[in-house]
Amino acid sequence: VQLQASGGGLAQPGGSLRLSCAASGFIFSNYWMYWVRQAPGKEREFVAAISRISGAFYYADSVKGRFTISRNNAKNTVDLQMDSLKPEDTAVYYCAAGRVPSTSQHMYDYWGQGTLVTVSS
């Protein structure tokens, strides 16, 4: 099983970044997909979730209206479009997969290695 996140980098406040996560080694369409982040000195926190066939979406209140999660089951990828970025969005972003819908990270089955997003002027 592999989840390979990419797309992180430096963005200015108000700017945009798009993260992508490529999955392999499991039946992608059977799993809910998640983005989770960990800011420096803080615990990991749920960011966004998308159901198996993109019929349902969930977002943390802190990113609602600014971030959009999407998936392509034909390509086994899940993306996170991040707009109107704020300095407090600075974190390592991880993609994860789970068989059941949950904002509790201990329910997730597979994790990627993370990609760093830095929002700074």
Side-chain angles (χ1 to χ4, degrees):
V1 171
Q2 191 170 16
L3 291 170
Q4 185 72 37
S6 62
L10 177 64
Q12 292 189 340
S16 298
L17 281 175
R18 188 176 184 90
L19 306 183
S20 186
C21 177
S24 61
F26 63 101
I27 302 175
F28 182 75
S29 59
N30 284 355
Y31 286 75
W32 281 68
M33 295 302 297
Y34 303 91
W35 286 96
V36 176
R37 69 185 181 186
Q38 186 168 22
K42 296 187 178 180
E43 295 185 351
R44 285 190 305 193
E45 64 172 352
F46 167 82
V47 174
I50 186 168
S51 63
R52 298 177 188 89
I53 56 172
S54 304
F57 311 85
Y58 298 97
Y59 296 94
D61 288 342
S62 58
V63 307
K64 202 171 293 182
R66 301 188 297 119
F67 289 11
T68 304
I69 188 171
S70 61
R71 67 188 293 163
N72 185 325
N73 285 350
K75 296 183 177 180
N76 287 3
T77 58
V78 58
D79 291 350
L80 185 69
Q81 177 66 39
M82 305 186 295
D83 298 318
S84 302
L85 283 163
K86 303 176 181 181
E88 52 263 43
D89 294 319
T90 296
V92 176
Y93 285 72
Y94 300 88
C95 59
R99 293 190 64 91
V100 297
S102 177
T103 58
S104 297
Q105 300 161 42
H106 71 277
M107 298 295 291
Y108 303 164
D109 298 298
Y110 307 126
W111 288 83
Q113 88 289 358
T115 186
L116 177 63
V117 171
T118 303
V119 183
S120 175
S121 55

